Amino acid sequence: MNKELYRKLTGLCEKPLAQASNRDIYLALLDLVQDLSQKNEKPVTGRKLYYISAEFLIGKLLSNNLINLGIYDDVRAILQDSGKNLSDIEELEPEPSLGNGGLGRLAACFLDSLATLNLPGDGIGLRYHCGLFRQSFQNDVQNEAPDLWLDEHSWAEKTDVVYPVLLAGKTCSARLYKLNVTGYHGRTNHLNLFDLDTIDESLITDGISFDKSDIEKNLTLFLYPDDSDDAGRLLRIYQQYLMVSAGAQLILSECEARGCDLHNLADYAAIQINDTHPSMVIPELIRLLGEKGIPFEETVQIVTDTCAYTNHTILSEALEKWPRHFLDQVVPQLMPVIEKLDCLARTRTDDESTAIIDCRNVVHMANMDIHFTHSTNGVAALHTQILKDSELANFYRLYPEKFNNKTNGITFRRWLLECNPALTKEIGMLIGPGFRQDADELEKLLAFADDPQVLQKLTDIKKENKKALADWLYQKQGIKINPDAMFAIQSKRLHEYKRQQLNLLFLIHLYLEIKAGHTPAVPLVSIFGAKAAPAYTIAKDIIHALIALSKVVAADPQASPWMQIVFVENYNVTAAEKMIPACDLSEQISLASKEASGTGNMKFMLNGAVTLGTMDGANVEIAERVGNDNIYIFGQSSRQVINRYAKGDYCAYDWYESDPNIRRAIDFLCSPQMQKAGHEENLSRLHNELIYKDWFQTLPDFNAYLVRKAQAMTDYAQDTAAWSKKALVNIAKAGFFSSDRTIAEYNRDIWHLGE
Ligand code: 26W
């Protein structure tokens, strides 16, 4: 036993561990981690990164920190000796859900990798009082409740640092909270989160509704308050400005404290703008540098040299544009700067499509980013190519040298070491511990690709993880699932382009086939985890249809031994850590060209799931690495999809009318069974949507999806060892998708930290 650690822990508890409550121990561990992580803070020399992001989906931090500090096993053993269980203590930690999905989780993985690689890099964001809403299903529809995660004892420590921020002409005080980010045997960096002292949580009334008028009381209450009305949209601008103005002041003061004279800001700071949400940092820095007496032209050059922009989407509705009068109201002090930037951009080109303020007085944030940063990157090879070829082609012609790709990655500390200890241990026994620091070493596993014992062991580990998921689901939702079935999981934000509705149509088809006497090769448990944006009606209808179908299936003794549908309530990082290690088939079925990258696809692969997917986002790079035998690809190519959109000739109704399988599956939504299990309004709205709109071309991919999924099920059923080999190859080839590789590339090409 590690005696020193034991002494420290009992000292912090102020009583023997056996007599301490789990909460006492949790708080003691929190103190212990803060203390140890502080010791790894290192002075910064040269350039330091500031990663500004409206989202940091960090998840629970206790285990992650214990692993990174190298004391996880010792702490677990010490607790065990005193009759305590670390996982019970982990349960007490609230999950900070400070993000919607991929973009926020990526930011969290990046912070982990920066610290692990010993690179000086901090995050800058907001300390939302409620993260993404807490989801429950009431009457089989999504219900949203506030998720007040802040505890009196939290990882984010209050500081005395306060910056003035001018919001609609009134000065507010932005207070800095600092959270230690530990690296795996690396340095400690920080996540800087800003908040106002005046926030009033009692403003929250019904569900996630609140009075949106008094920004001093509500500014950081929620992550992305509902933007379906103007008040919500204005509030988003207020939030963004609070973040970037306080962030810019923090950056300037840290650099000045290190001796920077601000003319050389780019030698001290690299700022990464995570999607368009922090774009106002550009005019804000120009404004602040101007106040210090630096001429406009020079401030523009300094800011361009310092900042870089990442694009995370090609959905045009997600590229932020604000009516000019919104900005006039919230940040009048920025408008003269934005106008000058617009004029300057117009001197470089007369291409109206690249204007910052367009002829209808709409301000295009992404356009400002591309003109006035030195780097624009996409997040997977295909995504970057599409940006260059179509979405941002006009910009690419103007600034070819600015465009570059940085394929996303995930931190293996959380998504392997922490969430799948059994697999981690087995890998260590086979190839030694080197993969923990160097993910590429996973390739050594290929030497065991034909070793029956190893393949059996992988099958056994997967089975145990499936049992653990089944137990968890039973405890949480009272649902019993069959661990001998194949587990197919689709977990991600709910969006039509991600096509949970395609999966729904498959499941209806499967059900009807079983009813017709055609049983599948293997029983299937189909698991979903997804939150729908509160104002996104069709997304909520898709959730409802899946839940209604799950009831129809469960009530049917002929079908239920063969298929089960489970919708996991309140999908978040904690749920993901349970679900991903238990997955056999990873569903990555977005419409080709629409998913910028995806990162769930990487997490599943690393945990030995085989992908069923379209040639979209990073699936393309996964396919390249694992080869055709170890992935199930289907559907239209991104080229075909882009051409179809360009021609504008897609007609869902034609597909519905001419294909009996499609018609049968869609019409089942309005069948008496479904209408009895669910709500007529939601189901017929979805029926209508699929037949008359289907913006994301579900129907043309339907048959190809059926065929590939049936093939995967047959392969799984027929030869366990062959399936296990596919899993092994996926794990072995996952090294490229480590965020350590991604961060090293950002540093090599864009940031040049510490230099
Ligand atoms: C309108 C504001 C807005 C728009 C989009 C807020 C949030 C979003 C998304 C949730 C952004 C997002 O998460 N994008 C995802 O980013 C991941 C990391 O790069 C990619 O892997 C996903 O493909 C992309 O959808």
Side-chain angles (χ1 to χ4, degrees):
M1 198 214 300
N2 182 330
K3 291 225 170 83
E4 197 196 328
L5 202 59
Y6 176 80
R7 262 197 304 278
K8 269 195 192 149
L9 208 50
T10 38
L12 286 164
C13 267
E14 292 171 1
K15 56 182 95 142
L17 293 181
Q19 285 159 31
S21 69
N22 282 348
R23 172 119 184 124
D24 294 334
I25 298 176
Y26 169 64
L27 294 178
L29 285 171
L30 210 133
D31 283 347
L32 178 75
V33 167
Q34 298 294 58
D35 188 43
L36 292 175
S37 56
Q38 244 151 37
K39 297 205 169 92
N40 295 337
E41 286 174 342
K42 300 212 177 96
V44 177
T45 50
R47 199 178 280 112
K48 170 175 173 181
L49 170 73
Y50 296 91
Y51 195 87
I52 311 192
S53 175
E55 303 186 13
F56 286 93
L57 191 43
I58 48 184
K60 294 191 186 197
L61 292 173
L62 179 59
S63 298
N64 186 245
N65 282 330
L66 294 176
I67 289 174
N68 283 357
L69 293 167
I71 55 171
Y72 183 88
D73 290 333
D74 283 346
V75 167
R76 207 180 42 183
I78 289 171
L79 293 178
Q80 221 158 25
D81 280 354
S82 306
K84 302 287 174 183
N85 186 339
L86 184 52
S87 29
D88 294 342
I89 291 161
E90 283 166 352
E91 292 287 316
L92 299 177
E93 181 181 356
E95 172 173 335
S97 290
L98 309 185
N100 278 284
L103 167 143
R105 186 50 236 176
L106 185 77
C109 286
F110 280 5
L111 292 184
D112 186 279
S113 284
L114 280 158
T116 298
L117 297 180
N118 277 310
L119 293 168
D122 283 0
I124 294 179
L126 290 175
R127 180 180 177 264
Y128 305 102
H129 290 233
C130 299
L132 193 61
F133 61 85
R134 192 188 297 267
Q135 177 195 53
S136 63
F137 301 126
Q138 287 179 13
N139 198 12
D140 302 332
V141 293
Q142 171 176 291
N143 178 272
E144 300 102 20
D147 186 15
L148 284 156
W149 69 281
L150 284 171
D151 192 330
E152 142 193 31
H153 305 273
S154 147
W155 298 103
E157 286 184 345
K158 189 173 180 174
T159 73
D160 295 332
V161 179
V162 169
Y163 296 110
V165 174
L166 201 57
L167 293 164
K170 188 158 187 255
T171 302
C172 299
S173 299
R175 179 178 299 282
L176 173 65
Y177 289 77
K178 257 187 177 330
L179 190 148
N180 290 342
V181 177
T182 56
Y184 184 63
H185 303 301
R187 62 184 282 147
T188 292
N189 287 329
H190 297 102
L191 173 54
N192 300 293
L193 298 175
F194 289 100
D195 197 2
L196 301 180
D197 290 348
T198 47
I199 298 302
D200 180 359
E201 291 174 1
S202 72
L203 280 190
I204 307 170
T205 50
D206 181 25
I208 53 169
S209 312
F210 63 100
D211 178 0
K212 295 194 182 122
S213 53
D214 188 349
I215 53 137
E216 278 182 86
K217 291 188 176 166
N218 66 25
L219 195 56
T220 50
L221 255 188
F222 282 94
L223 163 75
Y224 290 134
D226 181 9
D227 66 352
S228 54
D229 58 13
D230 279 358
R233 282 150 62 76
L234 277 169
L235 191 45
R236 276 255 300 279
I237 305 179
Y238 279 114
Q239 287 189 332
Q240 295 180 357
Y241 187 65
L242 179 78
M243 171 173 79
V244 303
S245 177
Q249 293 176 69
L250 172 76
I251 295 168
L252 295 184
S253 72
E254 282 194 358
C255 290
E256 284 188 303
R258 288 201 288 128
C260 166
D261 76 355
L262 298 188
H263 294 275
N264 303 326
L265 181 65
D267 293 336
Y268 286 78
I271 299 176
Q272 193 68 32
I273 300 176
N274 197 28
D275 220 284
T276 51
H277 322 137
S279 302
M280 281 187 286
V281 75
I282 293 171
E284 177 66 0
L285 272 173
I286 291 176
R287 188 183 74 84
L288 292 171
L289 293 173
E291 278 182 355
K292 306 247 179 192
I294 304 179
F296 178 72
E297 286 69 27
E298 193 191 340
T299 61
V300 172
Q301 194 55 52
I302 295 171
V303 170
T304 306
D305 292 345
T306 307
C307 295
Y309 158 65
T310 304
N311 174 291
H312 293 267
T313 182
I314 59 163
L315 293 187
S316 53
E317 66 266 29
L319 285 181
E320 289 181 303
K321 329 175 224 323
W322 301 116
R324 192 201 148 120
H325 68 270
F326 278 18
L327 297 179
D328 281 331
Q329 182 182 335
V330 179
V331 285
Q333 67 276 27
L334 286 191
M335 278 323 290
V337 179
I338 295 177
E339 269 169 7
K340 278 165 108 176
L341 291 176
D342 181 53
C343 289
L344 188 55
R346 285 170 187 278
T347 64
R348 298 181 186 174
T349 167
D350 51 15
D351 180 350
E352 193 57 35
S353 73
T354 68
I356 296 175
I357 308 178
D358 73 14
C359 58
R360 294 180 340 251
N361 264 320
V362 174
V363 183
H364 296 253
M365 307 312 270
N367 295 5
M368 185 165 68
D369 290 323
I370 306 170
H371 281 299
F372 297 107
T373 63
H374 65 279
S375 161
T376 290
N377 76 280
V379 290
L382 176 68
H383 172 230
T384 303
Q385 201 56 49
I386 294 173
L387 292 180
K388 289 185 191 174
D389 292 346
S390 19
E391 269 345 91
L392 300 177
N394 292 346
F395 278 106
Y396 182 53
R397 264 191 292 279
L398 203 53
Y399 306 115
E401 73 290 349
K402 291 192 185 186
F403 282 74
N404 62 97
N405 177 59
K406 295 287 165 284
T407 297
N408 283 166
I410 56 173
T411 166
F412 285 23
R413 270 72 64 187
R414 185 176 289 267
W415 298 110
L416 179 62
L417 275 57
E418 182 183 330
C419 76
N420 203 339
L423 181 60
T424 305
K425 188 167 165 215
E426 177 63 15
I427 295 173
M429 306 234 285
L430 295 171
I431 62 171
F435 73 100
R436 291 164 173 264
Q437 300 276 335
D438 175 5
D440 286 334
E441 287 205 11
L442 285 173
E443 288 234 15
K444 291 185 184 166
L445 283 173
L446 292 177
F448 301 93
D450 293 305
D451 181 328
Q453 270 178 333
V454 171
L455 296 178
Q456 184 57 46
K457 184 76 200 192
L458 290 185
T459 308
D460 295 345
I461 291 170
K462 183 64 77 180
K463 184 70 175 285
E464 286 306 308
N465 289 338
K466 288 165 76 172
K467 284 189 193 151
L469 177 63
D471 290 346
W472 181 77
L473 270 170
Y474 183 65
Q475 270 180 15
K476 206 169 110 83
Q477 286 176 230
I479 298 171
K480 281 196 172 146
I481 55 172
N482 168 14
D484 293 324
M486 183 185 206
F487 283 14
I489 307 189
Q490 186 172 14
S491 56
K492 46 185 77 252
R493 282 181 298 128
L494 213 135
H495 200 290
E496 285 164 280
Y497 86 76
K498 296 180 185 279
R499 300 199 299 187
Q500 282 93 349
Q501 71 275 27
L502 177 58
N503 203 337
L504 165 72
L505 292 179
F506 164 83
L507 292 166
I508 294 176
H509 179 85
L510 180 63
Y511 174 68
L512 295 173
E513 286 297 297
I514 296 170
K515 294 304 286 175
H518 308 136
T519 52
V522 60
L524 181 74
V525 177
S526 202
I527 303 172
F528 292 84
K531 291 180 184 175
Y536 191 172
T537 308
I538 288 297
K540 289 175 143 182
D541 290 342
I542 295 170
I543 295 182
H544 173 70
L546 282 162
I547 295 176
L549 181 64
S550 75
K551 285 165 58 181
V552 170
V553 173
D556 187 325
Q558 188 187 355
S560 52
W562 291 102
M563 67 183 291
Q564 274 184 292
I565 301 165
V566 182
F567 213 116
V568 176
E569 227 168 23
N570 199 39
Y571 180 63
N572 57 10
V573 176
T574 309
E577 288 171 18
K578 309 265 192 256
M579 291 159 70
I580 290 171
C583 179
D584 297 307
L585 192 67
S586 154
E587 305 253 11
Q588 308 300 335
I589 61 176
S590 55
L591 175 64
S593 81
K594 294 296 176 191
E595 186 69 272
S597 163
T599 45
N601 45 4
M602 304 167 186
K603 294 165 199 164
F604 283 109
M605 167 196 200
L606 175 61
N607 284 276
V610 181
T611 304
L612 169 60
T614 50
M615 280 302 242
D616 199 15
N619 295 354
V620 176
E621 288 158 85
I622 293 178
E624 246 168 49
R625 283 180 172 74
V626 300
N628 279 339
D629 289 345
N630 302 302
I631 190 165
Y632 294 86
I633 293 291
F634 72 95
Q636 303 181 92
S637 69
S638 55
R639 251 309 107 232
Q640 287 170 304
V641 171
I642 290 167
N643 287 341
R644 218 195 267 274
Y645 274 117
K647 278 209 221 136
D649 67 350
Y650 174 58
C651 173
Y653 195 83
D654 289 347
W655 290 81
Y656 168 77
E657 219 179 26
S658 61
D659 186 317
N661 273 343
I662 291 180
R663 197 167 56 240
R664 183 178 71 156
I666 296 183
D667 283 346
F668 189 70
L669 290 170
C670 293
S671 65
Q673 296 106 299
M674 282 294 277
Q675 299 283 330
K676 191 161 159 253
H679 310 311
E680 201 264 322
E681 187 192 339
N682 304 75
L683 295 168
S684 49
R685 189 164 44 217
L686 181 58
H687 183 261
N688 224 44
E689 183 83 17
L690 286 169
I691 298 174
Y692 295 112
K693 298 188 184 138
D694 191 26
W695 303 129
F696 296 99
Q697 302 177 17
T698 315
L699 309 187
D701 281 349
F702 178 73
N703 281 304
Y705 179 54
L706 287 192
V707 170
R708 286 312 268 160
K709 197 155 169 174
Q711 184 66 52
M713 289 167 74
T714 305
D715 292 350
Y716 180 89
Q718 276 180 354
D719 189 339
T720 306
W723 185 271
S724 187
K725 181 173 173 180
K726 293 181 201 295
L728 180 143
V729 174
N730 272 275
I731 301 166
K733 293 288 184 178
F736 176 77
F737 300 103
S738 161
S739 47
D740 296 349
R741 187 267 314 150
T742 315
I743 286 298
E745 288 183 5
Y746 272 93
N747 190 39
R748 182 194 65 201
D749 301 340
I750 307 175
W751 302 331
H752 313 290
L753 303 177
E755 291 173 17

